[in-house]
Amino acid sequence: MKVKGTLIGFAAILMWSLLALMTTASGLMPPFQLSAITFAIGSLPGLLLLAARPQRLALLKQPAKVWLIGIGGLFGYHFLYFTALRNAPAVEAGLIAYLWPLFIVVGSALLPGERLRWYHLAGALAGLAGTAAIVSRSGISFDRGYLVGYGAAFLCAFTWSGYSLLTRRFEAVSTDVVTGFCLATSALSLICHLGLEATVWPANGTEWLAVVGLGLLPVGAAFYAWDYGVKNGDIQILGAASYAAPLLSTLILTLFGFAEPSLRIGLACLLITGGAVLAARDMIFRSRTRTSAAAE
């Protein structure tokens, strides 16, 4: 079950790697409007499942703290991330926000039945170094004038890691509730859009296709997969492996001509891949042991 859950969690990371490409292709729609639309689309698979199996509606009856954690995680992360990007340079804000995988790995030591090993931490730090290599193409320079943005980025990382760790503590709660989290996030994003942004619609079919793709994959199915993964998989491996998302995102952008290949990307690939393998050494060795035993 733990291997299956970890693999499903990996699927979420793979889908998040498409976020930059699809966002770039979606045109000039402002972030809260895009968030409102894509989370509404992301809720559709869950709504269809509930319509097909009405008995599952009973699974949505959860304590208030479950809803607060879920809505706070999804909406809170995106609100703080957008705030950070508006109040600080994207490179520095993005790097701070991407502390969340490291926070997950370190925070996992507080979960029942989990032990933090040196290689979990080393793998996460290697991933962070690889991410820094990706985003720091023009160097990194922290300026006190952007403290509001830096603070929002730090809270963004803390919010998503906290959501992921607390979700693990509610492993008995069905993933069906993610449908409700997405709907609430869409509604709150719409309120922010109406109060803070001017409405901009996609200019053509390609941009609409990118918006729908965002809603179905990185802002839709990915959250269902992540919920299942952190509840049933190895959360320390998932935390370290999450640094693969910015790497894969950059490789995909390069493949589609939105970025240039470089030695810096190769270094990031080695750091992130090596870090993920290091963090997953227990699972790798367990699999080899089982294979050897079966062969005998």
Side-chain angles (χ1 to χ4, degrees):
M1 177 63 76
K2 207 164 191 179
V3 173
K4 176 185 174 183
T6 304
L7 292 175
I8 291 175
F10 283 156
I13 296 169
L14 291 175
M15 285 185 275
W16 284 331
S17 70
L18 298 171
L19 184 63
L21 175 66
M22 290 184 172
T23 301
T24 301
S26 67
L28 301 176
M29 188 181 294
F32 283 116
Q33 181 188 358
L34 185 62
S35 179
I37 293 174
T38 53
F39 271 105
I41 295 171
S43 69
L44 292 179
L47 291 174
L48 291 174
L49 178 61
L50 292 173
R53 301 180 181 177
Q55 67 273 20
R56 298 186 73 87
L57 286 168
L59 299 173
L60 300 182
K61 189 177 181 180
Q62 300 293 338
K65 58 185 177 182
V66 171
W67 290 99
L68 287 174
I69 291 169
I71 297 170
L74 268 65
F75 175 73
Y77 171 83
H78 288 84
F79 179 84
L80 289 166
Y81 185 72
F82 295 151
T83 300
L85 292 182
R86 285 178 172 175
N87 292 276
V91 169
E92 288 80 4
L95 185 57
I96 294 172
Y98 240 93
L99 286 170
W100 66 260
L102 179 61
F103 288 170
I104 287 177
V105 173
V106 174
S108 67
L110 302 175
L111 294 173
E114 299 289 351
R115 292 184 63 186
L116 180 63
R117 305 281 191 176
W118 68 266
Y119 44 84
H120 294 135
L121 186 58
L125 288 172
L128 180 61
T131 301
I134 292 172
V135 302
S136 61
R137 69 188 74 181
S138 301
I140 298 175
S141 177
F142 292 99
D143 188 324
R144 291 183 180 180
Y146 299 118
L147 285 178
V148 171
Y150 298 155
F154 183 83
L155 289 175
C156 170
F158 187 79
T159 297
W160 188 251
S161 59
Y163 163 74
S164 299
L165 292 166
L166 289 170
T167 294
R168 177 61 171 258
R169 298 187 70 90
F170 293 100
E171 58 186 349
V173 175
S174 171
T175 296
D176 290 82
V177 298
V178 175
T179 302
F181 299 162
C182 288
L183 284 172
T185 300
S186 175
L188 291 171
S189 297
L190 178 60
I191 293 171
C192 289
H193 165 64
L194 294 175
L196 300 171
E197 299 171 336
T199 300
V200 178
W201 294 107
N204 52 52
T206 300
E207 292 184 1
W208 271 114
L209 188 62
V211 170
V212 173
L214 277 169
L216 292 177
L217 294 174
V219 189
F223 290 109
Y224 296 91
W226 186 250
D227 182 86
Y228 186 90
V230 296
K231 286 176 179 175
N232 300 283
D234 192 314
I235 196 169
Q236 293 165 333
I237 294 175
L238 287 174
S242 295
Y243 283 116
L247 171 63
L248 292 173
S249 177
T250 302
L251 292 175
I252 290 170
L253 288 171
T254 301
L255 180 64
F256 281 86
F258 290 102
E260 294 293 330
S262 66
L263 290 175
R264 173 175 51 83
I265 301 302
L267 174 62
C269 184
L270 289 174
L271 286 168
I272 293 173
T273 303
V277 171
L278 182 61
R281 56 173 281 179
D282 279 349
M283 182 173 288
I284 293 170
F285 285 132
R286 279 201 301 268
S287 298
R288 286 181 177 175
T289 300
R290 289 172 183 169
T291 301
S292 299
E296 292 173 0

